[in-house]
Amino acid sequence: LVLGGGGLFAAFPLAYAIILPATYPLIIAMLLGLVFRGVAFEFRWRDPGHRAFWDLAFTGGSLVAALSQGMILGALLQGIEVADRAYAGSWWDWLTPYTLLTGCGVVAGYALLGACWLVWKTDGSTQDHAYRLARRAFWATLALMGAVSLYNLLVRPEYADRWLTAPELYYAAPVPIATGIVAIALFLALRNQRESKPFWLALAMFLLGMAGLGFTIWPNVVPPDVTIWD
């Protein structure tokens, strides 16, 4: 999301000028979370007497950063009020049940990616623990992806039209079908305790989810008023 957002902003400065003011609190929270992560990672071994505190700071910073990124995505998807090519909404437009749901989805997805990475790169008891975390994160990610997909049909009427009416439905159908196939393959890979395969399948799930969201808002860059052509 960070890399994609950076590319988006570089390619579409108008999108940057609109999205940034609409999500200032989330961006500030994300940056503070990343600062806590970096500081905690450094001080955890320099200050062993307070290691529990730095562990908590690292966990909290990671959670806040991931949640903020997901909520930024949700704020964009639910639509940003624009007037005269500038943000025209309020300070709190980003805080809705939908953005909280997308935020939790990104947290679960990042946990899945991290756990699958540990499965690949570790062994012994650490790997066993990573397998347990990956299975839990898999079900959480799958459930939240489904919830966000269903909620999308209620967020804006044009989203429902895109996914439920022909001929757009025929172009959209391969995305959930492919996601289901990848999810089954990931479940089997975790159950059979494969090592590298779960990470690549989890990454594929993420990419398919982003592809589905991209199809949902196309051709908008900032729904509902700013298109790629703008």
Side-chain angles (χ1 to χ4, degrees):
L1 178 61
V2 171
L3 294 176
L8 171 69
F9 293 157
F12 304 109
L14 176 60
Y16 175 81
I18 294 170
I19 296 172
L20 188 62
T23 56
Y24 270 140
L26 294 172
I27 292 172
I28 292 169
M30 180 183 70
L31 294 176
L32 288 174
L34 294 173
V35 168
F36 268 89
R37 275 172 50 92
V39 171
F41 191 78
E42 180 70 17
F43 277 85
R44 186 180 185 274
W45 67 275
R46 291 183 180 272
D47 182 23
H50 299 89
R51 181 163 292 177
F53 170 78
W54 295 117
D55 285 347
L56 182 62
F58 186 85
T59 302
S62 302
L63 179 62
V64 168
L67 185 66
S68 298
Q69 288 182 21
M71 292 181 71
I72 291 170
L73 177 63
L76 172 64
L77 291 168
Q78 73 181 2
I80 296 177
E81 187 177 349
V82 178
D84 297 326
R85 298 171 69 86
Y87 177 57
S90 71
W91 180 260
W92 296 102
D93 283 0
W94 53 269
L95 184 58
T96 66
Y98 178 73
T99 61
L100 289 170
L101 187 65
T102 57
C104 291
V106 169
V107 170
Y110 282 1
L112 175 62
L113 287 172
C116 289
W117 176 264
L118 289 175
V119 163
W120 184 11
K121 296 297 182 178
T122 62
D123 54 22
S125 61
T126 303
Q127 188 184 63
D128 293 338
H129 183 58
Y131 273 119
R132 289 192 294 270
L133 294 177
R135 293 187 192 101
R136 296 173 190 171
F138 165 76
W139 290 114
T141 301
L142 194 64
L144 287 164
M145 284 183 69
V148 169
S149 299
L150 292 175
Y151 207 143
N152 279 340
L153 303 179
L154 306 176
V155 170
R156 308 197 65 83
E158 58 267 30
Y159 293 172
D161 292 341
R162 176 62 60 88
W163 283 95
L164 299 179
T165 59
E168 289 86 353
L169 172 63
Y170 306 130
Y171 298 108
V175 175
I177 293 172
T179 302
I181 293 172
V182 170
I184 293 171
L186 176 54
F187 171 77
L188 294 175
L190 290 172
R191 189 183 68 176
N192 297 329
Q193 296 195 340
R194 301 293 181 90
E195 294 195 345
S196 64
K197 193 174 181 180
F199 175 75
W200 298 111
L201 290 169
L203 196 61
M205 275 187 63
F206 238 82
L207 293 174
L208 286 167
M210 296 303 292
L213 295 178
F215 181 84
T216 299
I217 68 173
W218 174 264
N220 290 316
V221 177
V222 182
D225 298 318
V226 181
T227 70
I228 189 174
W229 317 119
D230 296 321

